[in-house]
Amino acid sequence: MSTYTPADFKRLLSKFEELPKNQLEMSIFDISGYPHYENVASNVLAFYLNPHNEHGLQDLLLSSILNKIAIEDRNLKSVLVSREESTFNQKRLDLLIETDNLLIGIENKIFHHLNNDLNDYSYALKKWAQPNNLEIVKIVLSIKKEQPSDGFVNVTYEELFTEIRRRMSNYQIIKNKWYFYLLDFMNSIEGLAGSKMKIDENDQFFLDNFEKIEALLGERNKFLAKLNNKVVELQQKIEKPPQCKRQWIYSKSCLVHDFEFFSYKIAFDLYIAPSGWQLQLFGRDAESKKYLTFLFNTIPLQGTQQGYKDSRYILEEFCLHQDLSTIAASLLKRFSMLLESQERAEMKT
């Protein structure tokens, strides 16, 4: 049994209301789950690393990653970016970038450990660079710090994104969709890196009040169970009409009555919630919905709805304190109205 009083819970909720509302927004990449796949992240990078693509960010990303390893390319006008370039041993390098002066190989690591054959990549880069006498740059781009070998230099996403943001003011950037997509991508990767898991004031509130919150949730669950018991009590007060195919309880909080006329399936849902009871009437498929609309143009259903939401007619609402016998009587009356409308509609046809 909880040792906390309602006054304790009230003070807890007051503290919660005072917390800053700084909820992090989800990006389109968070929703899709794409940043979890290295290939997709590499595709995004390939698009933005090429200054000639339509993003309009020029060489912002390419010069930023080069600047992080203290390399200045004197000519980024001629840039070719390719993906999954096969080595002589049939391994695949995530990103290969060729400029007039440089050949840049980038191995991208999101979650997997760095266990790639960097020696094989180095040999391939050396061979690819020879015809044009290009300077070779070897980079491992990763979420966490790595210790690469064979001349590869590690750049973390955090370092790259910090550099991108720092250099943005040097560019005349058109804030088009590609600009916002890049910000979305950066925020998503930073979330994977754990920046969204830093303990803030809101988190500390839950840490400091963990036991009290657990007790509050326990009392809440008892209250909801009490409400759900009312649904069982109500069911016992209602004798299922012969025309009703099934009377049952859905998800503990909803008393359901299913009717079927010919092939049309019509259902009453009576929900209970802390806000009170709500009686809904709806068709279970498209044809049944059309038929129900037809019935609502027939007396006595005509004009009886209080509202219409999500393809459901809202018929009636009751407060939590309403006597169950009154609710049962109203529900039976609604059954009769539906049956009478159906009979009248059948006579018309």
Side-chain angles (χ1 to χ4, degrees):
M1 185 175 179
S2 172
T3 58
Y4 299 105
T5 67
D8 292 326
F9 294 140
K10 190 173 182 179
R11 285 191 291 270
L12 178 69
L13 293 173
S14 295
K15 289 182 181 178
F16 178 75
E17 288 294 325
E18 294 171 1
L19 291 174
K21 302 300 185 287
N22 57 351
Q23 187 176 6
L24 291 169
E25 294 184 359
M26 293 186 70
S27 74
I28 189 63
F29 294 97
D30 292 323
I31 295 170
S32 66
Y34 278 175
H36 292 257
Y37 302 101
E38 288 176 358
N39 280 342
V40 179
S42 295
N43 288 340
V44 173
L45 290 170
F47 174 74
Y48 285 104
L49 284 168
N50 191 331
H52 308 306
N53 283 338
E54 62 182 285
H55 49 69
L57 298 173
Q58 306 164 55
D59 64 1
L60 173 60
L61 266 73
L62 183 53
S63 61
S64 293
I65 197 169
L66 291 175
N67 194 61
K68 286 308 301 177
I69 56 176
I71 291 181
E72 293 186 7
D73 190 348
R74 293 172 294 280
N75 186 358
L76 292 179
K77 293 181 180 179
S78 176
V79 177
L80 178 64
V81 181
S82 56
R83 285 274 290 114
E84 296 285 329
E85 198 69 31
S86 294
T87 68
F88 302 99
N89 290 328
Q90 301 305 308
K91 302 293 177 62
R92 294 182 181 274
L93 182 62
D94 288 328
L95 289 158
L96 184 68
I97 306 169
E98 184 176 345
T99 75
D100 286 343
N101 306 309
L102 302 175
L103 185 66
I104 307 161
I106 300 177
E107 181 62 19
N108 182 29
K109 295 278 103 179
I110 300 292
F111 284 125
H112 297 117
H113 296 293
L114 181 62
N115 55 5
N116 304 77
D117 191 348
L118 298 184
N119 181 264
D120 180 48
Y121 294 163
S122 293
Y123 177 79
L125 287 167
K126 181 179 178 181
K127 291 296 183 182
W128 294 333
Q130 282 178 352
N132 296 318
N133 195 29
L134 301 175
E135 180 182 352
I136 299 172
V137 178
K138 298 180 283 187
I139 298 171
V140 171
L141 180 62
S142 60
I143 282 184
K144 62 183 184 68
K145 276 288 186 183
E146 300 283 358
Q147 299 293 328
S149 58
D150 292 280
F152 277 81
V153 180
N154 183 215
V155 176
T156 66
Y157 273 101
E158 181 181 6
E159 292 169 339
L160 174 59
F161 294 161
T162 298
E163 183 68 10
I164 290 171
R165 291 187 175 102
R166 185 185 72 81
R167 296 166 61 87
M168 274 184 172
S169 59
N170 299 332
Y171 290 75
Q172 293 181 339
I173 295 176
I174 300 174
K175 293 185 178 180
N176 56 16
K177 65 179 181 180
W178 302 114
Y179 168 81
F180 291 107
Y181 287 161
L182 175 63
L183 295 184
D184 244 9
F185 175 71
M186 291 165 64
N187 289 334
S188 297
I189 296 294
E190 287 170 338
L192 298 179
S195 62
K196 293 180 183 176
M197 288 302 295
K198 292 179 181 178
I199 301 299
D200 58 20
E201 184 179 353
N202 288 17
D203 299 326
Q204 195 62 47
F205 169 81
F206 289 102
L207 292 173
D208 293 340
N209 298 281
F210 183 79
E211 290 185 4
K212 194 178 293 185
I213 292 170
E214 287 289 297
L216 176 60
L217 291 175
E219 296 300 322
R220 169 190 175 272
N221 292 337
K222 290 179 185 178
F223 170 67
L224 294 179
K226 185 177 180 179
L227 294 186
N228 293 339
N229 285 336
K230 284 182 173 287
V231 177
V232 177
E233 290 180 42
L234 181 62
Q235 182 185 28
Q236 294 170 352
K237 289 181 177 293
I238 299 177
E239 185 177 348
K240 183 176 77 68
Q243 300 89 339
C244 178
K245 296 295 182 182
R246 185 185 179 199
Q247 181 195 67
W248 56 292
I249 294 176
Y250 168 71
S251 192
K252 299 182 180 180
S253 62
C254 180
L255 179 60
V256 184
H257 288 83
D258 280 308
F259 289 81
E260 189 169 329
F261 310 122
F262 311 110
S263 60
Y264 304 119
K265 298 177 181 179
I266 310 297
F268 286 89
D269 275 0
L270 179 60
Y271 284 93
I272 192 171
S275 57
W277 298 85
Q278 187 177 81
L279 178 60
Q280 303 174 359
L281 181 61
F282 65 100
R284 291 201 174 276
D285 53 41
E287 291 303 315
S288 299
K289 290 175 184 177
K290 291 180 182 178
Y291 183 67
L292 186 57
T293 300
F294 173 64
L295 292 183
F296 264 97
N297 291 319
T298 306
I299 294 173
L301 273 185
Q302 191 175 37
T304 58
Q305 71 270 26
Q306 292 185 3
Y308 187 77
K309 184 179 180 181
D310 298 329
S311 299
R312 291 174 174 236
Y313 293 93
I314 311 302
L315 298 182
E316 202 165 355
E317 294 180 336
F318 310 91
C319 69
L320 287 181
H321 303 294
Q322 184 68 59
D323 181 71
L324 293 183
S325 296
T326 302
I327 298 175
S330 181
L331 189 54
L332 289 172
K333 180 182 177 181
R334 296 287 180 172
F335 293 163
S336 297
M337 294 169 67
L338 173 68
L339 294 171
E340 185 178 342
S341 293
Q342 189 274 328
E343 289 172 359
R344 286 173 178 261
E346 187 177 353
M347 290 175 60
K348 287 181 181 180
T349 57

